[in-house]
């Protein structure tokens, strides 16, 4: 029965261009729209109102006297709220002509994930000298599509959609899913429309000169096994001012908990604040634990790899969400062998979905375990969390999960028994590639052909090394010296073999992967930088890798490409074949720092920071195209990149930690600061509220006489500073 199911790829064949989309999110509710605030009624696209893997609203347009308004500006910098300023083109009513730019329209959009509901305020003001009779028509479309059908449009079975209907002044859309879940979208209007259309409404506004009138809309989402629970009930328009204040207070409280940055660069301050606000927006909850959802709109869900890396990137700012993410993933750790879901005992999940297709078992994502690296990143995060907190509590709490993860590495991770961790898909609808570059054409050979499974990615072996060394340290601190010694010996053996088998001496870089028969995928890729991040590289090889990755064929001027421009399969617009990924660059920069190449790390930081300036709201997307900065003076957008996206949003905070050289040694009540660097355009940086063990510290880094001085501004609790210059 399963053989006819096509694989689901996390790839570029998604519906429509959302590169310029305006995105708002609160909790599990998110809205993605065109820059003019609307959602197209026609054609496949990724815009709409999403909730728990269902796109409720897939069309939302309005007209003034039969004409589309013109957008003047749009912003969603707060994450939970968007503001649009629109005006009218020249248009005619039955009574008169309305000159262009006579009507000002301020459109405020607030998302409330607790209700959940989308709240709209459209304020129309007549800036003309004559009164205006203005017909405003609004049309909605609700298809209740599973997010997987939005990403990969194709014929699919569907539940029962009832025709839209008006009842007691409320426009109602209802869907009875094949998963026996009822979903509804109800549109509440104030004032009541003058005309109730089949799937929309028309309001006739008479505006005297300078007069301002408002239309308030609330789009309320409901889902329940009980149909009665999804029927619209009496609804009072909320106090939008109070709601905005509550959402702002929650965002500000999030920032207050985080370590805070201040510098003399308005650019650094701005991008950093937007990064942290984006992370607040992406924070989600599941089973009373917080985690970072991977990205909007496609990946508003728990992802093993993405959520773990984002938590790791933000440890210096708030280690608490890392602990919650680890607990949540531990609850869903693999316990049995299941080829359909690619589950194995001890394995950490790739992706957990809750939509109709997942509930019906039509996709294996409830949860799906097709990832080779999430289990290793789970162990790495435990180790690095302990380095920041100086506590073994979490290690002891998750001890059985740690043992299971380590056992998975030896019992299941090595598919062909060659001593390396590799993957081969077992699920008909699983991912062909199961490391972070998981599109189907990501792992390539020099001649352009695709690598042959089983595939052992280069960075995965580095993660295994870091996982073993990190766990060895914690076992040693827990008094289990024999276990620690075995892990240390296994890690040392892996390092020796790895530097022999993956090294490409003619290219001065590590191979992208080993494939069937131990043959290397002998191309230059960004994955080699992760090798430095984990410390498995020999010193001499690390130097050559750094030189290779910062060379012209890899460094675009904005960041390091995923694949060298010299390779046959290079494509600056290919999802993993030449694009620039901020998170990838942040890990590479940390690897450069680990081996003493601080200036190269600062160069990556500067490139990504300047790229962020060119994106809306100074927010780095999931990825952008790999065209050279010399060729284009702005970074070229990737059409379906998620934004905000978790590990992209966390990249600037992690890069700042990296260039400042922060190295926690919390078990010793110590923070080591190793050879900090600052970009040339920054004179000073202050970090306030950095937690190391039981202490907090405020630090100032300042350029003086060609060197960087470090000054502790405030220390609360036991902490020694060791400053290496």
């Amino acid at each position: 029965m399963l053989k006819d199911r096509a694989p689901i790829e996390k790839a570029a064949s998604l519906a429509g261009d959302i590169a310029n989309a305006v995105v708002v999110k609160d909790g599990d509710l998110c809205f993605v729209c065109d820059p003019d605030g609307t959602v197209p009624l026609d054609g496949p696209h990724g815009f709409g109102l999403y909730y728990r893997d269902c796109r409720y609203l897939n069309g939302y347009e309005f007209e003034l006297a039969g004409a589309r308004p013109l957008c003047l500006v749009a912003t969603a910098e707060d994450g939970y709220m968007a503001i649009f300023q629109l005006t009218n083109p020249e248009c005619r009513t039955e009574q008169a002509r309305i000159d262009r730019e006579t009507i000002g329209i301020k459109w405020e959009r607030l998302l409330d994930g607790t209700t959940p509901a989308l709240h709209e305020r459209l304020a129309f003001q007549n800036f003309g000298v004559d009164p205006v009779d203005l017909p405003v028509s609004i049309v909605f479309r609700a298809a209740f599509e599973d997010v997987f059908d939005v990403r990969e449009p194709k014929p699919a079975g569907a539940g029962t959609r009832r025709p839209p209907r008006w009842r007691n002044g409320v426009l109602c859309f209802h869907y009875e899913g094949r998963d026996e879940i009822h979903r509804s979208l109800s549109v509440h209007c104030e004032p009541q429309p003058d005309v109730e259309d089949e799937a929309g409404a028309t309001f006739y506004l008479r505006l005297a000169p300078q007069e301002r009138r408002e239309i308030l809309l609330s789009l309320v989402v409901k889902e329940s096994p009980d149909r009665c629970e999804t029927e619209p009930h009496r609804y009072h328009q909320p106090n939008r001012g109070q709601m905005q204040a509550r959402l702002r207070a929650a965002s500000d409280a999030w920032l207050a908990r985080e370590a805070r940055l201040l510098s003399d660069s308005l650019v650094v301050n701005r991008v950093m604040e937007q990064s942290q606000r984006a992370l607040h927006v992406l924070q989600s909850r599941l089973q009373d634990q917080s985690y970072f959802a991977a990205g909007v709109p496609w990946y508003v869900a728990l992802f093993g790899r993405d959520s773990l890396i984002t938590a790791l990137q933000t440890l210096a700012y708030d280690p608490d969400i890392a602990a919650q993410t680890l607990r949540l993933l531990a609850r869903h750790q693999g316990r049995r062998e299941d080829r359909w879901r690619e589950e194995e005992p001890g394995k950490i999940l790739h992706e957990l979905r809750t939509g109709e297709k997942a509930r019906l078992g039509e996709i294996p994502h409830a949860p799906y375990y097709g990832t080779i690296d999430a289990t290793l990143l789970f162990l790495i995060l435990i180790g690095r969390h302990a380095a920041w907190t100086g506590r073994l509590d979490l290690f002891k709490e998750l001890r059985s999960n740690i043992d299971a993860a380590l056992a998975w590495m030896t019992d299941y991770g090595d598919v062909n028994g060659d001593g390396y961790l590799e993957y081969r898909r077992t699920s008909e609808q699983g991912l062909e590639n199961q490391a972070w570059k998981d599109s189907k054409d990501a792992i390539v050979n020099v001649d352009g052909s695709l690598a042959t499974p089983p595939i052992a990615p280069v960075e995965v072996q580095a993660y295994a090394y870091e996982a073993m060394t990190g766990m060895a340290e914690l076992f040693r601190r827990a008094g289990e010296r024999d276990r620690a010694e075995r892990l240390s010996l296994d890690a040392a053996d892996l390092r020796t073999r790895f530097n022999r088998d993956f090294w490409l001496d003619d290219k001065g870089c590590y191979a992208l992967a080993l494939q069937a028969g131990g043959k290397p995928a002998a191309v230059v890729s960004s994955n080699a930088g992760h090798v430095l991040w984990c410390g498995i590289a020999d010193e001499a090889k690390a130097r050559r890798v750094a030189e290779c990755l910062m060379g012209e064929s890899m460094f675009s001027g904005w960041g390091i490409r995923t694949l060298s421009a010299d390779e046959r399969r290079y494509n600056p617009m290919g999802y993993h074949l030449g694009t620039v990924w901020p998170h990838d660059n942040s890990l590479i920069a940390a690897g450069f720092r680990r081996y003493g190449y601080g200036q190269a790390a600062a160069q990556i930081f500067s490139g990504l920071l300047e790229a962020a300036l060119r994106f809306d709201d100074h927010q780095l997307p999931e990825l952008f195209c790999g065209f050279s900065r010399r060729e284009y003076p702005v970074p070229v957008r990737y059409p379906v990149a998620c934004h905000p996206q978790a590990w992209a949003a966390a990249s600037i905070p992690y890069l700042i930690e990296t260039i400042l050289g922060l190295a926690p040694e919390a078990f010793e009540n110590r923070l080591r600061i190793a050879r900090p660097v600052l970009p040339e355009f920054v004179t000073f940086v202050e970090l306030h509220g950095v937690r190391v063990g039981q202490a907090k510290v405020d630090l100032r880094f300042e350029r003086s006489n060609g060197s960087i001085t470090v000054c502790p501004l405030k220390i609360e609790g036991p902490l020694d500073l060791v400053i290496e210059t």
Side-chain angles (χ1 to χ4, degrees):
M1 180 176 67
L2 303 178
K3 292 183 178 179
D4 293 332
R5 295 171 173 168
I8 287 180
E9 299 290 346
K10 184 179 176 182
S13 58
L14 306 174
D17 183 345
I18 60 169
N20 295 302
V22 177
V23 179
V24 285
K25 177 183 177 294
D26 185 51
D28 293 329
L29 188 70
C30 65
F31 193 91
V32 184
C33 67
D34 261 331
D36 65 357
T38 65
V39 174
L41 291 169
D42 300 319
H45 57 75
F47 302 110
L49 180 65
Y50 292 82
Y51 182 68
R52 295 182 178 173
D53 289 339
C54 176
R55 182 168 68 170
Y56 279 69
L57 186 74
N58 66 328
Y60 181 12
E61 294 184 350
F62 84 94
E63 295 181 342
L64 310 175
R68 290 285 297 273
L70 306 173
C71 182
L72 303 179
V73 70
T75 180
E77 63 179 27
D78 290 325
Y80 55 83
M81 177 180 182
I83 301 176
F84 309 86
Q85 181 64 47
L86 311 175
T87 189
N88 66 292
E90 181 178 307
C91 52
R92 288 186 175 274
T93 67
E94 292 181 1
Q95 293 78 22
R97 184 186 73 182
I98 305 176
D99 291 335
R100 178 187 174 98
E101 298 166 5
T102 299
I103 309 299
I105 307 159
K106 185 177 182 181
W107 189 350
E108 296 177 338
R109 171 169 291 152
L110 275 171
L111 234 62
D112 180 7
T114 58
T115 304
L118 169 71
H119 301 291
E120 310 271 67
R121 185 204 308 268
L122 293 102
F124 301 84
Q125 187 167 2
N126 177 10
F127 289 101
V129 296
D130 298 313
V132 170
D133 291 307
L134 184 69
V136 178
S137 298
I138 306 176
V139 180
F140 304 92
R141 186 175 69 183
F144 301 96
E145 305 145 293
D146 191 280
V147 68
F148 281 86
D149 289 330
V150 180
R151 286 169 52 189
E152 298 284 345
K154 55 184 178 292
T160 303
R161 296 185 183 90
R162 292 167 57 186
R165 71 193 191 282
W166 285 90
R167 196 172 83 181
N168 300 324
V170 178
L171 176 59
C172 309
F173 298 88
H174 186 273
Y175 174 69
E176 183 178 351
R178 292 176 296 128
D179 57 352
E180 300 183 351
I181 297 294
H182 293 264
R183 297 170 175 88
S184 72
L185 179 69
S186 56
V187 182
H188 304 257
C189 310
E190 185 181 309
Q192 290 297 305
D194 295 289
V195 178
E196 296 176 351
D197 300 316
E198 179 183 358
T202 300
F203 303 82
Y204 293 110
L205 305 182
R206 182 167 180 80
L207 297 171
Q210 301 303 315
E211 185 179 4
R212 185 177 188 266
R213 290 187 61 185
E214 294 182 349
I215 296 174
L216 304 180
L217 303 172
S218 288
L219 283 67
V220 181
V221 167
K222 292 184 179 180
E223 65 171 22
S224 173
D226 184 349
R227 175 175 171 176
C228 294
E229 292 294 323
T230 62
E231 292 294 328
H233 301 291
R234 182 178 296 276
Y235 187 82
H236 297 286
Q237 292 290 334
N239 185 311
R240 284 163 169 76
Q242 291 179 359
M243 181 179 297
Q244 183 178 348
R246 175 178 60 80
L247 292 167
R248 165 61 69 172
S251 180
D252 289 344
W254 163 270
L255 290 180
R257 288 199 308 272
E258 301 275 295
R260 302 178 305 284
L261 176 138
L262 174 67
S263 81
D264 64 330
S265 168
L266 295 177
V267 172
V268 172
N269 296 342
R270 171 68 172 167
V271 173
M272 181 65 174
E273 181 179 350
Q274 283 305 108
S275 296
Q276 291 185 304
R277 288 199 185 277
L279 289 167
H280 168 64
V281 168
L282 288 164
Q283 185 183 15
S284 299
R285 288 188 68 79
L286 181 65
Q287 300 168 357
D288 297 323
Q289 299 292 327
S290 293
Y291 69 96
F292 291 114
V296 179
W298 315 118
Y299 309 118
V300 183
L302 176 65
F303 275 72
R305 178 188 306 118
D306 300 55
S307 300
L308 287 164
I309 287 180
T310 308
L312 190 149
Q313 291 171 305
T314 55
L315 277 171
Y317 303 88
D318 180 8
D320 294 341
I321 198 168
Q324 296 183 67
T325 301
L326 288 164
R327 291 188 181 103
L328 185 56
L329 289 169
R331 291 180 188 176
H332 294 278
Q333 189 173 28
R335 289 174 173 79
R336 61 193 180 97
E337 293 185 32
D338 182 339
R339 293 174 63 86
W340 166 238
R341 297 196 301 165
E342 307 211 42
E343 180 182 1
E344 293 162 344
K347 198 174 187 181
I348 298 299
L349 64 82
H350 170 66
E351 181 178 358
L352 175 60
R353 294 291 188 167
T354 57
E356 183 176 14
K357 295 176 79 71
R359 290 170 59 86
L360 290 169
E362 295 177 351
I363 55 174
H365 293 66
Y368 172 60
Y369 290 84
T371 169
I372 188 67
D373 54 8
T375 308
L376 312 174
L377 291 165
F378 176 82
L379 296 171
I380 291 172
L381 182 57
I382 291 172
R384 297 202 179 186
H385 177 270
W388 277 103
T389 62
R391 300 173 66 92
L392 289 174
D393 303 41
L394 192 63
F395 171 78
K396 293 176 180 177
E397 177 188 340
L398 301 180
R399 176 56 191 274
S400 63
N401 305 100
I402 292 168
D403 289 340
L406 289 169
W408 174 85
M409 292 172 63
T410 56
D411 297 345
Y412 293 94
D414 186 1
V415 172
N416 60 10
D418 64 353
Y420 296 118
L421 299 179
E422 57 264 314
Y423 59 82
R424 185 203 303 271
R425 187 181 71 179
T426 64
S427 176
E428 295 92 336
Q429 207 167 351
L431 293 165
E432 292 183 18
N433 285 316
Q434 299 185 358
W436 89 259
K437 293 181 179 176
D438 57 3
S439 54
K440 63 184 178 182
D441 59 354
I443 311 302
V444 297
N445 292 305
V446 172
D447 63 2
S449 63
L450 301 183
T452 305
I455 294 171
V458 62
E459 79 278 9
V460 170
Q461 318 316 313
Y463 297 169
Y465 174 83
E466 172 79 358
M468 288 189 286
T469 55
M471 288 302 99
E473 172 68 14
L474 295 188
F475 277 115
R476 190 173 294 111
R477 291 188 180 277
E480 299 185 51
R481 297 189 177 277
D482 290 344
R483 185 79 181 275
E485 184 63 22
R486 287 197 301 274
L487 283 169
S488 295
L489 289 173
D490 289 344
D493 175 64
L494 173 61
R495 183 177 189 182
T496 299
R497 291 185 290 106
F498 172 84
N499 281 282
R500 178 193 66 209
D501 296 341
F502 278 81
W503 182 246
L504 305 173
D505 195 58
D506 59 330
K507 296 191 174 184
C509 196
Y510 292 97
L512 172 57
L514 297 184
Q515 57 194 308
K519 178 184 175 182
V523 295
V524 172
S525 71
S526 63
N527 303 55
H530 296 222
V531 172
L532 277 59
W533 179 60
C534 293
I536 194 175
D538 292 340
E539 291 285 345
K541 291 182 173 65
R543 176 183 56 79
R544 294 188 65 189
V545 169
E547 292 172 350
C548 176
L549 296 186
M550 293 305 295
E552 186 175 339
S553 65
M554 284 297 289
F555 187 70
S556 72
W558 305 110
I560 292 172
R561 300 180 176 102
T562 43
L563 187 68
S564 169
D566 294 335
E567 300 296 348
R568 184 168 183 177
R569 284 299 293 269
Y570 167 72
N571 178 355
M573 301 170 289
Y575 197 56
H576 293 124
L577 296 174
T579 49
V580 174
W581 289 64
H583 92 280
D584 186 29
N585 277 260
S586 76
L587 300 183
I588 295 169
F592 287 171
R593 158 64 71 183
R594 184 167 188 162
Y595 282 85
Y597 307 117
Q599 291 300 328
Q603 191 174 350
I604 291 175
F605 171 71
S606 297
L608 285 179
L609 188 73
E610 292 179 46
L613 288 177
R614 272 74 172 186
F615 289 104
D616 295 339
D617 297 324
H618 297 168
Q619 186 178 98
L620 285 169
E622 176 186 16
L623 72 156
F624 51 91
C625 293
F627 293 106
S628 170
R629 188 170 181 173
R630 291 197 313 275
E631 187 175 0
Y632 294 97
V634 295
V636 179
R637 297 172 183 267
Y638 187 81
V640 292
C642 288
H643 62 283
Q645 201 260 3
W647 59 18
S651 294
I652 292 297
Y654 191 48
L655 281 161
I656 289 172
E657 172 195 336
T658 294
I659 65 172
L660 297 182
L662 304 187
E665 298 173 356
F667 284 106
E668 290 74 33
N669 296 320
R670 185 165 58 232
L671 175 63
R672 189 176 299 276
I673 301 174
R675 300 176 301 282
V677 295
L678 291 174
E680 291 299 324
F681 57 87
V682 178
T683 303
F684 79 86
V685 167
E686 292 181 6
L687 278 180
H688 294 261
V690 177
R691 283 185 273 172
V692 184
Q694 300 304 304
K696 275 189 176 182
V697 61
D698 298 348
L699 297 164
R700 181 181 175 93
F701 300 79
E702 187 167 3
R703 188 190 313 282
S704 176
N705 298 322
S707 62
I708 307 300
T709 60
V710 184
C711 176
L713 302 176
K714 181 180 179 182
I715 298 178
E716 298 178 3
L719 186 68
D720 293 328
L721 289 179
V722 177
I723 301 171
E724 303 172 1
T725 58

